[in-house]
Amino acid sequence: MNNVFTSSETKYRFSDSIARKHRGKAVPLTGMQKRMFVNDTKVFDANFTFLQTKLAKLHQKTYEPKVFFTYAQDVPIETGGGFVDFIEYYTVNWAGIMNDTRNLFGNGGNLIPRVNAGMTQNTAKVYTYEIAYDLRFVELEKMKKAALSKSIEQIYQDGIRAGWDYFCQNVAYLGINGDTGLFNSTKVKVTSITNSATTGSGFEGYNDDVVVAFINGIFLDVLNDSNMNVNLLPDTLLVPTWMMSDLVSRFSALYSNSLFDFIKEHNLAKAQGGEKFKLTIVGRPDLNAIGTNSKGRVVAYRKEKDYVRMDMPYPIQHYVTLPNVDKAAYTSIFVGQVSQVQLPYNESSNDAGIVRYYDFTN
């Protein structure tokens, strides 16, 4: 059979990158390795069936943005309850308990005090997060031909959940819409850390004993304010990332490890609370430039739902998918609800509570 084409047929079947001397001939698959000039053209096999060569190897894995969120590590979260407008909780105050001059009886007095308890109703805002995506009918059919490890629906959903986590982290740490979060609550007492002799930020330039004294000073404040209640000792310290780097970078022959590891094992809270007490110290970028002078803030608290919590009455999830004729697409809607951070034992910035702020002055 004659395998020679006319010049008019050639230009439709071969790209211009093929050398002229090789044009006009069909190449059987068995000759591919010897005749590499074929490049990316359509070729005939021995039976004259059209085949398409591939110039690239397809990675079935899709390379998506790498995201990471820490709010769930720092704030205990309670889920469930369905759609709501507010989170409601009550705090209790006692009156009439014993002090130095009351509760005398018999020959010492003629008045028996009465115990009273007052309850205060508190509310926290709930934010509703809504987001949707459209999948056009035609594009959905096209994507069925792509050999990907994830469906286009799953790719969209991963993006939605990343947006939800980003939203929740903003609510948890600094608040949204003018509200506050764990790092900037107006109900938390602020203590200034005078560090005018620093050579950089925080405790840079200070000796290790100054840093250790500061950490133990936090625990001492709580013990003094709570009548030595070890159950209220902070077990979590969130610090600026540059302070975290400073702690990890300090080494000494005396403690044969970094100052960071030394403080976690040797501190006043563990001495008072016992060996079961475990201290967590982690860096958070949101603390780097906030505080009274915007020089950084340390947040100390006990990480338990009684003292710090955030509710998710309706965690983000697929709500409904409906055809949208106007857009020739399927529209999927996702909805979630998350509340403000609640600090039940922090009633006023004038009073010492479970959550405490320590702000650097320089």
Side-chain angles (χ1 to χ4, degrees):
M1 185 177 292
N2 188 358
N3 288 345
V4 179
F5 297 107
T6 66
S7 60
S8 61
E9 292 173 318
T10 301
K11 70 176 183 177
Y12 295 110
R13 290 178 168 81
F14 297 92
S15 67
D16 292 337
S17 62
I18 301 176
R20 182 176 297 275
K21 65 179 180 179
H22 295 304
R23 296 181 182 177
K25 293 183 179 180
V27 182
L29 295 183
T30 55
M32 287 286 286
Q33 293 182 345
K34 297 180 181 179
R35 305 188 183 191
M36 298 305 292
F37 55 82
V38 176
N39 294 331
D40 58 348
T41 64
K42 286 184 178 180
V43 298
F44 293 101
D45 66 3
N47 296 318
F48 281 83
T49 302
F50 279 104
L51 298 176
Q52 177 70 47
T53 62
K54 293 184 178 179
L55 294 182
K57 175 183 176 181
L58 174 64
H59 283 194
Q60 290 188 349
K61 177 180 175 61
T62 54
Y63 294 89
E64 302 173 83
K66 300 298 183 182
V67 294
F68 186 73
F69 303 95
T70 56
Y71 70 95
Q73 300 175 17
D74 302 334
V75 181
I77 297 174
E78 184 76 20
T79 61
F83 289 117
V84 296
D85 291 327
F86 295 95
I87 299 297
E88 184 179 79
Y89 61 96
Y90 290 85
T91 55
V92 176
N93 290 310
W94 291 331
I97 60 176
M98 181 178 178
N99 58 29
D100 292 339
T101 58
R102 302 180 67 181
N103 293 81
L104 300 177
F105 59 94
N107 293 332
N110 56 10
L111 175 65
I112 299 177
R114 297 294 191 268
V115 172
N116 190 16
M119 298 182 66
T120 303
Q121 182 187 36
N122 300 273
T123 59
K125 290 182 180 179
V126 170
Y127 309 102
T128 300
Y129 181 89
E130 298 175 320
I131 194 167
Y133 67 83
D134 295 321
L135 276 180
R136 295 178 62 84
F137 302 145
V138 174
E139 298 302 323
L140 195 58
E141 289 299 317
K142 290 180 181 178
M143 288 302 299
K144 290 180 180 179
K145 299 179 181 179
L148 300 177
S149 59
K150 281 188 175 181
S151 66
I152 188 64
E153 295 97 325
Q154 187 61 52
I155 292 174
Y156 274 111
Q157 290 176 20
D158 289 346
I160 286 173
R161 294 187 184 281
W164 163 256
D165 283 326
Y166 184 78
F167 176 78
C168 291
Q169 184 143 310
N170 287 341
V171 171
Y173 285 164
L174 298 174
I176 61 172
N177 295 336
D179 300 320
T180 58
L182 176 60
F183 294 171
N184 59 353
S185 174
T186 56
K187 295 183 178 181
V188 177
K189 184 178 181 180
V190 179
T191 301
S192 296
I193 308 169
T194 303
N195 62 327
S196 55
T198 184
T199 58
S201 300
F203 293 114
E204 290 184 35
Y206 283 89
N207 293 333
D208 293 353
D209 57 343
V210 176
V211 183
V212 174
F214 161 70
I215 300 295
N216 284 331
I218 294 176
F219 301 133
L220 183 61
D221 285 347
V222 175
L223 291 171
N224 287 336
D225 293 338
S226 66
N227 193 31
M228 302 300 291
N229 189 342
V230 296
N231 295 319
L232 301 182
L233 284 168
D235 60 5
T236 303
L237 300 181
L238 304 183
V239 304
T241 54
W242 40 258
M243 180 177 171
M244 185 71 173
S245 178
D246 185 27
L247 292 175
V248 174
S249 301
R250 293 178 182 240
F251 288 87
S252 171
L254 292 178
Y255 40 78
S256 67
N257 211 329
S258 68
L259 183 60
F260 169 76
D261 289 320
F262 175 82
I263 290 175
K264 288 179 64 178
E265 293 299 322
H266 306 278
N267 56 72
L268 180 59
K270 195 161 189 175
Q272 289 292 137
E275 289 298 319
K276 292 183 178 181
F277 179 85
K278 183 179 180 181
L279 176 63
T280 298
I281 306 175
V282 289
R284 294 291 179 253
D286 290 299
L287 294 171
N288 289 352
I290 67 172
T292 306
N293 296 334
S294 300
K295 297 295 183 179
R297 166 172 286 175
V298 174
V299 180
Y301 63 101
R302 193 168 187 90
K303 198 182 103 174
E304 294 180 10
K305 288 183 181 179
D306 283 353
Y307 312 123
V308 178
R309 65 179 285 162
M310 184 169 72
D311 284 81
M312 284 187 183
Y314 196 85
I316 188 72
Q317 54 191 288
H318 176 248
Y319 191 68
V320 68
T321 295
L322 296 172
N324 188 330
V325 178
D326 291 339
K327 294 185 177 180
Y330 293 107
T331 299
S332 295
I333 301 173
F334 285 70
V335 181
Q337 281 194 325
V338 63
S339 77
Q340 282 181 291
V341 169
Q342 302 143 54
L343 311 176
Y345 285 87
N346 286 84
E347 296 183 348
S348 169
S349 60
N350 297 321
D351 300 323
I354 299 298
V355 181
R356 300 172 183 234
Y357 297 156
Y358 295 85
D359 291 358
F360 292 100
T361 58
N362 293 88

